[in-house]
Structure formats: C-alpha cells, structure tokens
Amino acid sequence: MSSSKTKILVVTLGIVLALVVIFSVYKAVDGDKDQQPSVTPTVAVDATTPTPDGDSGDGDDNGAGDDADGKEEFTGYPVRDTAEVLGTRLSERYKDCFYVGTCMKTEHLNDPNLVALVLEQFNSLTCENEMKPDALLNQMACMAEGEVTVVFPANTIKLLDWAKENGFAMRGHTLVWHSQTPDWFFREGFKSNGAYVDRETMLARMESYIQQVLEYCNTNYPGMFYAWDVANEVFSDNGDTFRDSPWYRIIGEDFVKYAFTYARKYAEEGTKLFYNDFNSYIPAKLNNIYMMAKSLQEEGLIDGIGMQSHLDISYPTAAMYLDAVERFSNAGFEVQITELDITTDANAAGHEKQAQLYNDIFSKLVIRDMATMINVTSVTIWGVNDGRSWRSYGDPLLFDDSLKPKASYYSVLQQEE
Ligand code: G3I
C-alpha cells in the first residue's frame, strides 16, 4: 500500500472512531429520549381502561409532554392496524359524556366495511343529505296538490330504517336552510318560473313543511330523534349580518322565530331543538348567534346551539373554539358539535397537527365539562373516512381512504376523564 493510501485510511478510521465516541456520550446523557422516539405512543390505547398518557403533570392532559423551555412537545400517536381497534370504540369511550356520531349517505350502506366500522364506533347518526328539504320536497306532488307535499323517498327511508334497526340515536338535519332548498318552494304554484309568494303564504308553507316532516318521524321513528337542527346558517359567513336568502327576503328576520315555534309545536316531546351554524367562534358571529338564541330561549323555543365545526389545523385555535363552547354553555344552552372535521396538509406533520387538535378538542370538552359545567351532549364527526368527506382534499376525518384508523382516531380515544 502506498503511503498516501495509508494516510487516507488512518484519517478515515480516526473520523469513524470519533463519531462512535460522540454518539456513546450522547446516549449516556440522553437515555430517556432514547426510550421514547418521537413517533412512539406514550400510552396504550384502551377505551375502557384509560392509562396515564405520559404527560408531565401540567394538567392539560393533551398527550404532549413539556420540553425544557416549558413548551409542549408533541409525542405522537400510534397508528395501528384496523384489527387492533377491536375492543376500542369512540361511543364507548365517551359514553358518560356525550353521543359520538357520524353522518352517512344511503349509498354508504353498500360498503360492508364502512357499515361495520360505523356500527362499531358510533352511537349517533345524521343523514348527510337525505333529510334536507331538497330530498323531501317533491315538486310534482306540490304542484298537483296545490300545497306543500312532503314525500319521504325510498332512499331516505332506507337509511332511517337501517338506523332504527341498529339502535342509533338520530340528529335531524335540517328543517329551514337557504341551501339545498329548491327555489320553486318559494314561488307561486310551486312553479320554477312563478313569482315569489308573500310573507303569509311562506309562513304557512313553512309550518306545513315542518309539521309534515316531524309528524312523519314521530309516527315512523318514535323516540329516535333526540335533536333537530331547526334553522341552519341564518347568518352570513363571518356572521356580521343576516344571510340573504329567500326565507329572509320573503318573511323577514323573524322567520327563525317562526321556524322554532312550529318545530316546538310538532316535535315529539323530549326532542331538543337546535340552531346550527359554522364559524360560530368568530366574535361577530358568536355575538349574533348568542343574541338571537337568547331571545328564542326567553320564549322557551330553543334548547341548544349546534356548532358545525368545519375547522382547519391553522384556524381556529383550540382555545378560541372552546371559549365559544363555554360561552354558549354558560348561557344555559345545550351544545352539540354537529359536523366536526379538521382539514390538514397531506403529510406526516400535518396529520400530527390534526391529531393534536382533535385531541385538544375532545379532551378539553370533557375536562371543561367537569370544571366549568359546559354542557356538550353530542359530538358528530362529519363523515366516516377521508375519501368520502365533502372536504376530502384536506384529509379531515378519523379514518383514511381505506377505512384504516388514523393518528387522529387514536388521539380522540387517548383521553382521561
Ligand atoms: O343531488 C345530486 C344528485 O342528483 C346527483 O346524483 C349527485 C351526484 O354526485 O349529486 C347530488 O348532489 C350532491 C349532494 O351533496 C348529494 O349527494 C351535491 O352535488 C353536493 O354538493 C352535495 O354536497 C353536500 C353539501 O352539504 C351541499 O351543501 C355534502 O354532501 C354535505 O356533506 C354538505 O353538508 C353541509 C351540511 O349539511 C351543513 N353544513 C355545511 C356542510 C357543507 O356544505
């Protein structure tokens, strides 16, 4: 071997030796971290016997430890195979706190794997579209009869019958809404090109519609509906004004009061009546919802606030969101989280952030429930798996396209009461 080759070999061996020494010293002073790689769970997931989550005793119970700066360091959630999920279920985990629900379309009944998952995990159900006015109002029948004619189509009945057979508690969604309500419903003769009707006609149509829908449910599904979204999204997106809709234009602001009056009149005793909206944590919208709901409450017309909760990992913060839950609760309203989903970036970091926000919301709903008397009675995730979500672009749900549980699923289970 030439002397230059010998020199290179000696230098290389020296570098390798130095690296080995540095690594050994690092391991010696940092043994704890070596026990807990950042993606390893700090807790065994078991819905029935919650175990300590390795949190540092900071009282936040969010699955995060504190680092040297006192900042919370995310320690990750396990991702396990579906088979291992058996024995854990969301509805069981939160049975002493609130219903845990999902929404379904009738076509989802064709997927036996999805059906099995829904039966295993949830105890509350909402029809994603099948009970909206455009599903139940039949234009031909209305025109033929010359009056509001509700026809529950086979598609809707199939899903409701399945829910009944399987013992689900249902949220009724939704009676009075600007969207998915046919424009002809507001026009003379129920004709697509008719002139818009007057206030008295529209109030009569509203009452007839609500009466027919609720009486059909009372008769065919007694005791199944524990809540109804009576009015949906009455305020503008940011909430500073009433939304411009045919309901608002034809009847005026008090259309909401009439909707609740009719719903109270025809709903089964014990069914709770809700005002339901999104962005309800934005201050202007929160205030307007609060003021309107308070005046309905004084007349005994409303029971609760539905917070839809279409969130993103970047907004709002858990604190901002939970403050709104607390404000509605403290004003004497039952609160139901009616359409929870959290969009995120399609990468590992995004999914960890999503898991953290799901965890924050669920754990703190439970913790605040005990500490501040908040009154959350139902939490519905708006869909079963990412691929079927209306916001599928943002992977917003607890199960992935192939129905495998995500980190967010485990983060929701991973709570202590
Ligand atoms: O009606 C047509 C049907 O005739 C056609 O066969 C089918 C083919 O894809 O499309 C049907 O309409 C779709 C409808 O869902 C029923 O599947 C619409 O295109 C689609 O836009 C509609 O989306 C729904 C959306 O409401 C409409 O506003 C979503 O599934 C549903 O998740 C979403 O839910 C709402 C809540 O009710 C209220 N809060 C906001 C949330 C998102 O808008």
Side-chain angles (χ1 to χ4, degrees):
M1 194 183 290
S2 71
S3 74
S4 64
K5 279 189 180 161
T6 306
K7 270 185 202 159
I8 290 170
L9 187 63
V10 168
V11 170
T12 306
L13 281 172
I15 290 170
V16 169
L17 194 63
L19 284 173
V20 168
V21 169
I22 290 167
F23 182 65
S24 305
V25 170
Y26 172 80
K27 272 187 72 140
V29 297
D30 199 42
D32 279 354
K33 273 190 196 147
D34 197 40
Q35 301 298 312
Q36 292 184 10
S38 65
V39 292
T40 298
T42 55
V43 58
V45 176
D46 183 333
T48 50
T49 52
T51 53
D53 64 0
D55 203 35
S56 60
D58 55 3
D60 57 5
D61 191 27
N62 63 1
D66 289 355
D67 66 15
D69 305 331
K71 280 193 309 185
E72 287 179 351
E73 181 191 0
F74 184 69
T75 49
Y77 298 100
V79 176
R80 297 190 306 183
D81 192 71
T82 318
E84 292 182 63
V85 182
L86 293 172
T88 62
R89 56 179 66 193
L90 297 167
S91 58
E92 176 66 19
R93 176 66 188 85
Y94 290 97
K95 68 179 187 307
D96 297 328
C97 307
F98 35 70
Y99 287 111
V100 183
T102 188
C103 70
M104 277 178 86
K105 295 179 180 170
T106 308
E107 70 205 43
H108 295 161
L109 295 176
N110 299 331
D111 180 343
N113 294 324
L114 183 142
V115 166
L117 191 61
V118 171
L119 289 171
E120 181 187 84
Q121 296 293 327
F122 301 101
N123 56 11
S124 169
L125 200 66
T126 309
C127 294
E128 185 165 352
N129 292 298
E130 288 76 356
M131 300 195 82
K132 292 173 176 174
D134 65 354
L136 304 182
L137 278 168
N138 185 302
Q139 186 175 19
M140 298 306 284
C142 287
M143 288 172 73
E145 299 293 329
E147 59 190 17
V148 177
T149 306
V150 167
V151 180
F152 273 66
N155 201 42
T156 302
I157 292 171
K158 185 174 173 187
L159 189 51
L160 292 178
D161 283 353
W162 181 82
K164 184 178 173 182
E165 280 157 24
N166 289 288
F168 282 94
M170 293 283 305
R171 296 198 80 262
H173 177 76
T174 177
L175 292 171
V176 173
W177 191 23
H178 68 282
S179 178
Q180 288 182 278
T181 302
D183 184 63
W184 55 258
F185 184 52
F186 301 92
R187 293 179 179 272
E188 280 178 8
F190 305 102
K191 292 187 193 129
S192 303
N193 60 357
Y196 283 113
V197 298
D198 60 18
R199 170 181 158 95
E200 293 314 311
T201 305
M202 208 56 230
L203 282 173
R205 287 186 182 185
M206 179 196 274
E207 176 165 9
S208 177
Y209 177 74
I210 290 175
Q211 177 179 7
Q212 290 182 57
V213 173
L214 293 183
E215 287 184 344
Y216 183 93
C217 292
N218 299 346
T219 303
N220 294 285
Y221 306 100
M224 188 162 90
F225 288 86
Y226 66 98
W228 264 98
D229 293 330
V230 175
N232 203 38
E233 303 172 6
V234 161
F235 293 106
S236 60
D237 289 2
N238 67 6
D240 54 3
T241 173
F242 269 86
R243 184 181 298 282
D244 184 27
S245 75
W247 288 117
Y248 177 72
R249 280 197 302 274
I250 295 173
I251 298 176
E253 284 183 15
D254 58 356
F255 81 90
V256 183
K257 190 182 95 176
Y258 281 100
F260 276 91
T261 303
Y262 302 142
R264 190 63 101 203
K265 186 171 168 188
Y266 299 108
E268 218 177 17
E269 209 181 320
T271 301
K272 302 287 180 68
L273 304 184
F274 280 76
Y275 175 71
N276 192 45
D277 213 330
F278 61 91
N279 284 354
S280 38
Y281 38 80
I282 293 178
K285 196 156 189 175
L286 194 158
N287 278 329
N288 275 327
I289 293 172
Y290 182 92
M291 300 297 284
M292 183 183 73
K294 268 315 235 185
S295 77
L296 293 167
Q297 189 187 45
E298 279 160 20
E299 299 188 59
L301 295 174
I302 189 172
D303 300 299
I305 304 295
M307 293 178 63
Q308 292 187 8
S309 312
H310 297 296
L311 314 181
D312 182 80
I313 52 164
S314 63
Y315 184 83
T317 62
M320 180 182 190
Y321 176 78
L322 290 159
D323 281 350
V325 177
E326 200 166 303
R327 178 143 184 232
F328 291 132
S329 288
N330 290 340
F333 297 110
E334 214 174 288
V335 176
Q336 297 191 349
I337 312 305
T338 55
E339 304 178 19
L340 179 60
D341 52 19
I342 304 175
T343 47
T344 188
D345 307 322
N347 55 43
H351 280 250
E352 285 209 346
K353 283 183 192 162
Q354 181 189 59
Q356 183 66 69
L357 188 51
Y358 267 116
N359 180 281
D360 276 353
I361 287 174
F362 269 80
S363 62
K364 286 175 181 161
L365 283 179
V366 174
I367 289 166
R368 289 201 193 196
D369 205 358
M370 294 188 292
T372 64
M373 308 291 288
I374 68 165
N375 188 18
V376 176
T377 52
S378 174
V379 179
T380 293
I381 313 289
W382 200 241
V384 178
N385 65 331
D386 287 341
R388 290 185 173 96
S389 164
W390 75 295
R391 304 170 88 199
S392 58
Y393 58 86
D395 295 352
L397 301 176
L398 305 183
F399 299 92
D400 70 14
D401 293 0
S402 51
L403 296 169
K404 285 255 178 3
K406 296 164 51 183
S408 288
Y409 168 79
Y410 295 106
S411 81
V412 167
L413 279 179
Q414 197 165 304
Q415 307 302 324
E416 286 189 89
E417 287 177 38

